[in-house]
C-alpha cells in the first residue's frame, strides 16, 4: 500500500501510524514525523490522535510545520488515505505563504475518530506545482510494548573505584531503533549533590538507516536488591529529542541507603526496563 502510493504520488510524504489504539492507551496527545524534505524545504507533520483543543475527543487533528524559512508560495494538500479501500480523504488545496520563521498550518477537525478507526488511514502531505521526487517518501511510526531487549542491567563491579564526583555511563545498548546508556552520578547531581544517588536514562544516536526523530519511552530505572529482590525503582515517561538527551531522577535514592542489600561485595546493579517505546522507520 505505502510503496504503491509513493510511486503514484511523487511529490508527497506519507506518515503511517501503526498500533493506533496504543496512543490512547498511553495517553499520547501528539505524534510528530521526522523532518523530511519536499519542495526544497524541510517539514514535519504533527498528528493529534484524539484531537487538539476544540476538536478533542471527536476528530483527528493534523498540521504541517516548516522547519526553516519558506521563501516562496507553496500549494499543498493534507490527506489521509484508507488502507482498506480506495478512499482518499482530504481538505481543499491550501497555500503555505512565505515566512522567515517556523509556522504551522493545518486542521483541527480533519477526520472524525470514528471514520479513522473504521478504515485505518495513511496520513500525509502532497505539494503541487513542484519538481517530482522519485518516488515520494514515507515513514512508519509504531509503539511497541515490551520491545526486544527491554530489560538491561549494568553490573558496576568494584563500585568503590568509581570516582564519586564524576558521571559514569554504561556501555551503549540498542532498544527499538535507538541507542541508549544508563547514567549514574554516585554522589548526586545538581541540587541532590552529596545527598542522593542519581540515575538517568540517556538517549543517544540511532541505528543505521533509521530516521533521527523524537522517541517516546515509558521506562523504569532501578537499583537491584541483591538479597530479597525488593528493588529500588522509579518510573518515567519521556519524549526524547532526536539529539542526545537524558531523563531520570537526581533524587533516585538517598546516599544513606546505598549499602546492603543494594551494594554487596563492592558490586552494584543498575538497570532499566522499557514498558513501551516508539520506533520510526522509512517504509
Amino acid at each position: 500500500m505505502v510503496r504503491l502510493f509513493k510511486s503514484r504520488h511523487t511529490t508527497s510524504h506519507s506518515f503511517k501510524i501503526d498500533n493506533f489504539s496504543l496512543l490512547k492507551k498511553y495517553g499520547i496527545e501528539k505524534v510528530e514525523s521526522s523532518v523530511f524534505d519536499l519542495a526544497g524545504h524541510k517539514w514535519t507533520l504533527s498528528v493529534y490522535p484524539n484531537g487538539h483543543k476544540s476538536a478533542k475527543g471527536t476528530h483527528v487533528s493534523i498540521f504541517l510545520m516548516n522547519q526553516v524559512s519558506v521563501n516562496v508560495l507553496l500549494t499543498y494538500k493534507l490527506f489521509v488515505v484508507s488502507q482498506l479501500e480506495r478512499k482518499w480523504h482530504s481538505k481543499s488545496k491550501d497555500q503555505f505563504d512565505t515566512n522567515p520563521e517556523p509556522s504551522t498550518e493545518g486542521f483541527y477537525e480533519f477526520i472524525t475518530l470514528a471514520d479513522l478507526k473504521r478504515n485505518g488511514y495513511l496520513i500525509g502531505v502532497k505539494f503541487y506545482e513542484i519538481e517530482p521526487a522519485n518516488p515520494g517518501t514515507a515513514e512508519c511510526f509504531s509503539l511497541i510494548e515490551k520491545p526486544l531487549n527491554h530489560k538491561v542491567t549494568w553490573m558496576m563491579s568494584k563500585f568503590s573505584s568509581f570516582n564519586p564526583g564524576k558521571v559514569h555511563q554504561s556501555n551503549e545498548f540498542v532498544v527499538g531503533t535507538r541507542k541508549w546508556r544508563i547514567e549514574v552520578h554516585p554522589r548526586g547531581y545538581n541540587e541532590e549533590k552529596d545527598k542522593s544517588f542519581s540515575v538517568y536514562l540517556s538517549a543517544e544516536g540511532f541505528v543505521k538507516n533509521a530516521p533521527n526523530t523524537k522517541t517516546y519511552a515509558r521506562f523504569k530505572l532501578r537499583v537491584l536488591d541483591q538479597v530479597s529482590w525488593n528493588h529500588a525503582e522509579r518510573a518515567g515517561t519521556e519524549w526524547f529529542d532526536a539529539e542526545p538527551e537524558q531523563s531520570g531522577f537526581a533524587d533516585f535514592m538517598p546516599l544513606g541507603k546505598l549499602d546492603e542489600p543494594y551494594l554487596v561485595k563492592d558490586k552494584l546493579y543498575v538497570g532499566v526496563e522499557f514498558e513501551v517505546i516508539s520506533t520510526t522507520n522509512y517504509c
Side-chain angles (χ1 to χ4, degrees), residues 17-273:
I17 300 177
D18 294 323
N19 302 325
F20 205 85
S21 61
L22 291 182
L23 301 179
K24 182 177 181 180
K25 177 180 177 179
Y26 290 104
I28 296 177
E29 296 186 355
K30 177 184 176 182
V31 177
E32 290 184 7
S33 73
S34 63
V35 177
F36 57 91
D37 290 290
L38 265 181
H41 295 80
K42 296 183 182 295
W43 313 87
T44 57
L45 284 168
S46 296
V47 180
Y48 292 80
N50 197 44
H52 187 45
K53 293 185 177 179
S54 60
K56 201 170 184 66
T58 59
H59 289 75
V60 176
S61 305
I62 304 175
F63 300 93
L64 175 68
M65 183 176 182
N66 63 308
Q67 299 299 301
V68 294
S69 62
V70 175
N71 52 17
V72 293
L73 190 65
L74 294 169
T75 302
Y76 74 95
K77 181 184 285 187
L78 292 170
F79 63 82
V80 289
V81 179
S82 173
Q83 298 183 70
L84 303 178
E85 56 183 323
R86 292 186 177 181
K87 186 176 181 181
W88 171 294
H89 180 96
S90 66
K91 300 293 185 181
S92 59
K93 291 181 183 177
D94 208 339
Q95 290 185 321
F96 214 105
D97 208 345
T98 56
N99 198 323
E101 300 294 333
S103 59
T104 301
E105 302 283 347
F107 302 91
Y108 289 96
E109 298 182 359
F110 194 90
I111 186 172
T112 66
L113 288 170
D115 197 19
L116 187 85
K117 291 175 182 176
R118 185 164 52 247
N119 290 288
Y121 282 93
L122 185 68
I123 297 164
V125 60
K126 181 175 181 177
F127 284 91
Y128 294 83
E129 301 168 11
I130 65 170
E131 288 294 322
N134 189 26
T137 55
E139 60 186 284
C140 299
F141 173 93
S142 298
L143 281 183
I144 302 174
E145 295 180 305
K146 290 186 171 28
L148 185 67
N149 200 31
H150 70 283
K151 287 185 179 181
V152 176
T153 302
W154 176 23
M155 181 179 71
M156 301 181 71
S157 298
K158 299 180 180 179
F159 182 75
S160 60
S161 68
F162 285 79
N163 188 326
K166 292 186 176 181
V167 58
H168 301 278
Q169 291 187 322
S170 70
N171 290 331
E172 198 172 70
F173 55 91
V174 174
V175 180
T177 55
R178 191 139 195 188
K179 300 173 183 178
W180 307 85
R181 294 181 191 269
I182 299 170
E183 178 177 297
V184 301
H185 300 254
R187 297 292 300 182
Y189 183 60
N190 281 348
E191 70 279 0
E192 292 298 317
K193 193 169 182 64
D194 295 323
K195 293 191 291 184
S196 298
F197 180 68
S198 305
V199 184
Y200 294 87
L201 175 63
S202 180
E204 305 285 324
F206 294 82
V207 299
K208 187 177 180 180
N209 297 327
N212 290 10
T213 188
K214 291 182 178 180
T215 307
Y216 175 82
R218 285 172 66 104
F219 58 91
K220 291 180 180 178
L221 291 167
R222 55 173 60 106
V223 173
L224 273 60
D225 178 335
Q226 300 182 55
V227 178
S228 59
W229 295 93
N230 185 24
H231 308 314
E233 65 179 32
R234 302 278 293 273
T237 301
E238 188 69 55
W239 272 105
F240 290 92
D241 198 69
E243 298 300 319
E245 185 178 14
Q246 293 77 37
S247 179
F249 306 93
D251 61 345
F252 185 85
M253 64 188 300
L255 285 177
K257 292 184 65 177
L258 200 60
D259 204 338
E260 289 192 16
Y262 306 107
L263 181 59
V264 178
K265 296 181 180 179
D266 208 22
K267 285 184 182 179
L268 187 74
Y269 293 86
V270 184
V272 62
E273 179 178 355

